[in-house]
Amino acid sequence: MWGWYNGDAGIENMRRQKRKVEVVSWNIAPESISLVILAIIWVYSRKGSHIPTLKNRMFQGCLTVTFSAMLTNIISTVMIYRYETVPLWLTWTVTTIYFVLTPLMGLVYFLYSISVIYSEETAKNKIMGFGLIPGILYSVLILLNPITKNIFYIDEAQGYVRGSLIEVTYVVFYAYCAASIVTVLANRKRIDSKIYRILSTFPVLAVLVIIVQQFFPDIILSGSAATCAMLIIYLHLQNKQISMDYLTNVPNRQELLNMLSLTLNRHPETQFTLVVVSLREFRQINNVCGQNIGDEFLKAVCRFLCDLGKEGSVYRFNGDEFAVLFTEESDDLIRKYVRSIMKRMELPWTVGNYQFNLSAVIGIIRHKDVEDTLEHIINAIEYAVYQAKSGKNGQVCYCDEEVLRKLRRRQQLMQILKEKLDDRSFEMYYQPIYSVESGTFNYAESLTRMNDTPIGPVYPSEFIPIAEETGMIIDITYAVLDKVCAFVNGLMEEHIPIEAVHVNFPAVQFTQPDLEEKVMEIIRRNGTPPSAIKIEFTESTLAESTQAVTEFTLRMLEHGIKMGLDDFGTGYSNIATVINIPFGTVKLDKSLVWVSMENEKSALAVKNLSRTFKELGMKVVAEGVETEEQRKLVVDFGVDQIQGYFYAKPMPEEEMEEFMLQKDERYALKRA
């Protein structure tokens, strides 16, 4: 970028050599080789990003100007060397073009640097506008040179002769070099360190080339420096690997985001449709056949999508997801495209000796609103795919107003969850657990509620899945544990007897490397007896993280904390796994209670399970008990504890304290 302008010195040296009866020939071999290398870079760069961003256009401009300057440098040198035989008008023309282009290489590289550094259109346009002024004035000076002869002139008697203002060519070039260096240094903190290093490489190049040129004045090295600059830029900033997916050889997700961003910024009124095809359960193919065969299936699907649509419209959106961008196609054509995809997915896919039926879901969004942002569009299409995977809207989910309404509510809930987490303002409810033998309520389950929000009460069935998907459930669980410890301490201060409060832990909690330390830190900080906390998790958690759960259970027992298995009977774990883990309690899912009311065989099986768990030293809790008939049934099962609306609903802390104070009188008649 910085050090290749030395052509005039070469031309002047050429003139001197002619007068010395051509003792030494001008060596343009490095320039010629560099020109070939630059041509190769140019060809390969055409396979990269096709997005018409300013950065990409400026890179192509750099290539064009550099190639043209190097070519005219070579041709002009040869013509001046043979000025006696080559028509003077032709030598004048080529040399003038060379003088225009070579110093202006500094301009195009300066403009490229600006396009990389600045994203704000206003700042970018202002700097580029000022940057063009010296280049325009210089170009006018060169175009007037055939009349003024201030830069150079060529005649039959003397050949090439320097003009009085020849130094202007150096001043213009190095002024742009200096401007580029200053701009890069001034923006060091706002640009990526990698980009900074790349843009800072060229001053070193300039110095090296100038030094080498002084030792070898008969060798043209301007093209070598220019080619090195273009090669560095191509490899690190314009390489097609940056914008293309290495596996499928289609543009990647970032390229799609760049294209959408450019469209929204330049032409927000332009309508387009984005379709995302998501393969379902593709991981199974990798598990069965291996990664290599799985990659071949992905490439086969990608080829099908490319053959089906317009060239360049397919993008690798995620691992097993592809996006198709429609910019001019009609709705009928898009619907036909989607139908063709779903029809093809009904047929098996074959790769080598492997054949599988692949299923897919499709999310679709149409951009119509000029107020749409890139973030909104991506969130909407990902939510449409999520909805399609849930099966609530079929295999194809069009992001219509209803879906967008759900998405907006989802985003609202995410914001509310963040705020609740920041200020620890989750409401805690507690549901008493009845002990059959003693007729007391010395246990309770903690439950999180969000009744006070800007959009009204939100049920756990809605906000818990969102908390789990976003990962916020981890910190929410720690916050809940902290609140439960404070609640237990409050009961003890009031001399209200409580054995333990159950706290639910989600599956993702067991992925935390410092789970044990974090749990114990919260309990110790509150000064709560460890035995007053019982950690519960579901069967699905046990099935998903058997080893992690087992190890954590054993460590908690060392601290005096017992674990409980929640929702047993939902079908996620086998009995062998359960009996090998020292649980304190096992909760029978309400579905087991309800089905036992209607089926004697089911009732017998549940009764035997309860007996087995008790013989293994576990307490059995029946949850979801709402009627007298259900109460009698679970008592007959031999359960130790009962939880359900029959005895008490979940209630806030103050109400729970009042309940615990009056429990003996209120529930004496309901003891079995």
Side-chain angles (χ1 to χ4, degrees), residues 563-601:
M563 305 285 285
L565 180 63
D566 196 11
D567 297 337
F568 178 80
T570 51
Y572 287 96
S573 61
N574 58 59
I575 190 67
T577 303
V578 175
I579 63 177
N580 284 320
I581 301 177
F583 294 116
T585 59
V586 174
K587 274 189 181 178
L588 303 179
D589 186 69
K590 60 185 179 181
S591 62
L592 291 180
V593 177
W594 294 353
V595 75
S596 296
M597 291 292 296
E598 302 173 357
N599 190 302
E600 292 184 4
K601 291 183 178 179

Side-chain angles (χ1 to χ4, degrees), residues 97-364:
I97 295 173
Y98 162 73
F99 268 98
V100 170
L101 293 178
T102 300
L104 292 187
M105 282 194 292
L107 170 60
V108 293
Y109 283 100
F110 168 74
L111 296 178
Y112 178 79
S113 297
I114 298 301
S115 70
V116 172
I117 294 172
Y118 290 93
S119 57
E120 300 177 8
E121 290 294 328
T122 303
K124 184 189 300 181
N125 294 339
K126 184 182 294 186
I127 296 173
M128 286 187 168
F130 281 114
L132 286 171
I133 295 175
I136 294 173
L137 295 177
Y138 171 77
S139 298
V140 171
L141 181 65
I142 296 298
L143 294 176
L144 291 175
N145 181 68
I147 300 173
T148 64
K149 299 181 180 178
N150 287 327
I151 305 299
F152 74 91
Y153 68 91
I154 306 172
D155 59 25
E156 294 181 352
Q158 302 180 74
Y160 170 83
V161 179
R162 291 160 58 96
S164 60
L165 298 180
I166 188 67
E167 287 80 8
V168 173
T169 60
Y170 301 101
V171 172
V172 170
F173 178 80
Y174 288 111
Y176 279 121
C177 292
S180 298
I181 296 172
V182 170
T183 303
V184 172
L185 292 176
N187 291 276
R188 178 175 184 175
K189 294 182 178 179
R190 63 177 293 175
I191 59 178
D192 183 79
S193 59
K194 174 184 174 182
I195 295 176
Y196 173 78
R197 288 194 299 271
I198 294 167
L199 297 181
S200 302
T201 300
F202 303 111
V204 178
L205 256 180
V207 173
L208 292 177
V209 170
I210 291 172
I211 293 174
V212 172
Q213 187 79 77
Q214 299 306 312
F215 286 103
F216 303 97
D218 298 328
I219 302 176
I220 298 179
L221 296 176
S222 57
S224 299
T227 301
C228 288
M230 293 307 303
L231 183 60
I232 292 172
I233 292 175
Y234 171 70
L235 290 177
H236 295 282
L237 298 179
Q238 300 290 155
N239 193 333
K240 75 170 188 174
Q241 299 300 329
I242 298 174
S243 60
M244 303 295 285
D245 176 57
Y246 75 97
L247 177 65
T248 58
N249 204 34
V250 298
N252 57 25
R253 179 189 177 97
Q254 188 58 51
E255 188 77 347
L256 173 63
L257 298 182
N258 293 341
M259 175 64 81
L260 294 177
S261 179
L262 183 70
T263 302
L264 293 172
N265 290 333
R266 290 187 180 177
H267 309 288
E269 74 286 350
T270 301
Q271 294 188 3
F272 60 80
T273 300
L274 183 63
V275 176
V276 170
V277 181
S278 178
L279 301 179
R280 303 206 64 182
E281 300 176 356
F282 190 79
R283 186 184 301 177
Q284 292 183 1
I285 293 180
N286 288 334
N287 292 339
V288 173
C289 307
Q291 186 73 43
N292 292 336
I293 298 298
D295 289 347
E296 293 301 319
F297 275 103
L298 282 177
K299 288 192 282 188
V301 173
C302 184
R303 283 194 299 270
F304 167 74
L305 295 176
C306 292
D307 294 341
L308 194 60
K310 186 173 66 175
E311 183 180 0
S313 62
V314 179
Y315 299 79
R316 180 91 178 270
F317 192 64
N318 273 322
D320 55 4
E321 293 181 341
F322 296 94
V324 188
L325 182 62
F326 296 94
T327 54
E328 301 174 350
E329 293 78 1
S330 65
D331 289 346
D332 289 339
L333 186 61
I334 296 172
R335 280 192 288 267
K336 181 181 178 182
Y337 186 92
V338 172
R339 285 196 300 269
S340 298
I341 294 174
M342 300 312 295
K343 186 176 181 180
R344 175 63 184 87
M345 288 299 169
E346 295 174 358
L347 303 175
W349 295 78
T350 303
V351 170
N353 297 324
Y354 296 93
Q355 186 177 82
F356 283 94
N357 287 316
L358 303 178
S359 62
V361 297
I362 296 178
I364 305 173

Side-chain angles (χ1 to χ4, degrees), residues 599-631:
N599 190 302
E600 292 184 4
K601 291 183 178 179
S602 297
L604 180 61
V606 174
K607 186 174 183 178
N608 288 328
L609 274 175
S610 299
R611 184 184 300 114
T612 301
F613 289 138
K614 293 183 66 173
E615 289 176 355
L616 291 171
M618 305 177 194
K619 297 288 186 182
V620 179
V621 183
E623 60 181 351
V625 175
E626 300 178 356
T627 66
E628 174 66 21
E629 291 76 14
Q630 291 175 347
R631 186 196 69 83

